[in-house]
Amino acid sequence: MSVTFEEIRLSLPHIEVAAHLYGPEDGQPVIALHGWLDNAATFSRLAPLLEGVRIVALDLPGHGHSDHRPLGAAYNIWDYAHDVLQTAEQFGWKRFSLLGHSMGAIVSVLLAGAMPDRVERLALIDGVIPYTGEAETAPQKLGESLQKLLVVDDKRKPVYASFEQAVAARMKGVGAVSHEAAERLAQRGLMPVPGGYTWRTDARLMLPSSMRLTRAHAWAFVHGVACPASLVLAEQGLLTQPAMLELTQALPFVLHRLPGGHHLHLDDQVGAEAVAAVFNPFFAG
């Protein structure tokens, strides 16, 4: 993989995060957000193909080379919106666009819906709203989360004897990926430990959510988005269930259906170029 980015670290007021910088310094400001358990390398194929933009591809807290949240803190999805906003503040960006994949797309919608005056454009890949839960399930969800929190332990993360074993495991993980995509994510996501390699990700990311937004909450954020929004749907992605397809049809966003899996922008060059062909005119618009 050729190096087409600059590696940086940002000391935000509440946490230190790592990121990859792509594109010209005078390009349109874009903050790129990866999916759950992934890292900034998810944009390593796509970002170099996007024109006229200055991309900050974050490792979200608990992922990649960014710090983990302090002990006792949670990984609520809406807290990532604060991380993104503080990143924009570091660069002095009062208006910026968001490029999000999966969980990163969900965070993008939450932030754009909450602070429409700050977000210029939304470029989303196979993600839009979080898994929702209604009020009657909230006590059970909180109880399950608290119980799991009592026993969470970084030592229980899997240890792989070789880099290649870790790559093979990631290929079969959430949102299965190609071998080369898994290699790219693993190169940034693994760290050496006695006995081999394990993931840098915080074990608390595997905990069940303590609370979920209701469907009404989620739609309120969608309808709060005031900027242009373009959503790429992978034909073999995670939004192919009938209920999710029905949901996407009701979105006030421009939809583009492309062949490929959930990581179509990373799995191969053809997929990355197809996504870039959608987003280049969108950002230029």
Side-chain angles (χ1 to χ4, degrees), residues 86-135:
Q86 288 290 359
T87 297
E89 291 291 296
Q90 287 278 305
F91 285 89
W93 293 347
K94 295 306 176 186
R95 295 273 291 175
F96 53 92
S97 295
L98 293 168
L99 166 62
H101 170 243
S102 194
M103 181 187 77
I106 295 166
V107 175
S108 297
V109 171
L110 294 180
L111 179 54
M115 303 194 74
D117 59 316
R118 299 295 301 268
V119 180
E120 192 83 33
R121 290 178 182 274
L122 278 186
L124 311 174
I125 305 171
D126 220 44
V128 63
I129 66 169
Y131 290 112
T132 56
E134 297 310 309

Side-chain angles (χ1 to χ4, degrees), residues 11 15 26 32 47 50 68 78 82 90 116 120 125 134 137 139 176 200 250 255 260:
S11 294
I15 199 167
D26 61 350
L50 297 178
H68 296 180
W78 43 82
H82 178 234
Q90 287 278 305
E120 192 83 33
I125 305 171
E134 297 310 309
T137 65
R200 295 179 181 274
L255 305 184

Side-chain angles (χ1 to χ4, degrees), residues 118-258:
R118 299 295 301 268
V119 180
E120 192 83 33
R121 290 178 182 274
L122 278 186
L124 311 174
I125 305 171
D126 220 44
V128 63
I129 66 169
Y131 290 112
T132 56
E134 297 310 309
E136 59 270 17
T137 65
Q140 179 185 349
K141 289 293 297 179
L142 179 57
E144 291 172 354
S145 175
L146 291 172
Q147 188 61 38
K148 294 288 187 183
L149 191 58
L150 291 176
V151 297
V152 67
D153 187 349
D154 265 330
K155 295 176 184 175
R156 298 186 183 188
K157 288 197 294 188
V159 174
Y160 305 97
S162 68
F163 178 85
E164 197 54 45
Q165 285 183 8
V167 168
R170 181 60 190 90
M171 289 175 68
K172 303 171 187 174
V174 176
V177 296
S178 68
H179 184 270
E180 188 174 344
E183 281 189 328
R184 291 177 181 234
L185 293 171
Q187 284 167 359
R188 187 160 185 81
L190 287 174
M191 63 181 182
V193 293
Y197 300 88
T198 194
W199 301 105
R200 295 179 181 274
T201 45
D202 193 331
R204 289 176 292 169
L205 291 166
M206 303 297 291
L207 291 174
S209 300
S210 59
M211 203 68 65
R212 285 182 172 172
L213 299 179
T214 66
R215 180 59 67 93
H217 279 128
W219 274 103
F221 282 99
V222 167
H223 291 303
V225 173
C227 65
S230 181
L231 170 60
V232 166
L233 295 174
E235 290 179 352
Q236 291 79 46
L238 297 187
L239 301 181
T240 56
Q241 309 95 323
M244 293 305 295
L245 287 175
E246 183 180 350
L247 179 150
T248 58
Q249 292 301 321
L251 290 169
F253 302 162
V254 177
L255 305 184
H256 304 268
R257 299 185 187 278
L258 296 180

Side-chain angles (χ1 to χ4, degrees), residues 28 50-51 121 256 275-285:
Q28 288 185 59
L50 297 178
E51 301 163 356
R121 290 178 182 274
H256 304 268
V275 175
V278 169
F279 288 156
N280 271 325
F282 176 68
F283 283 126

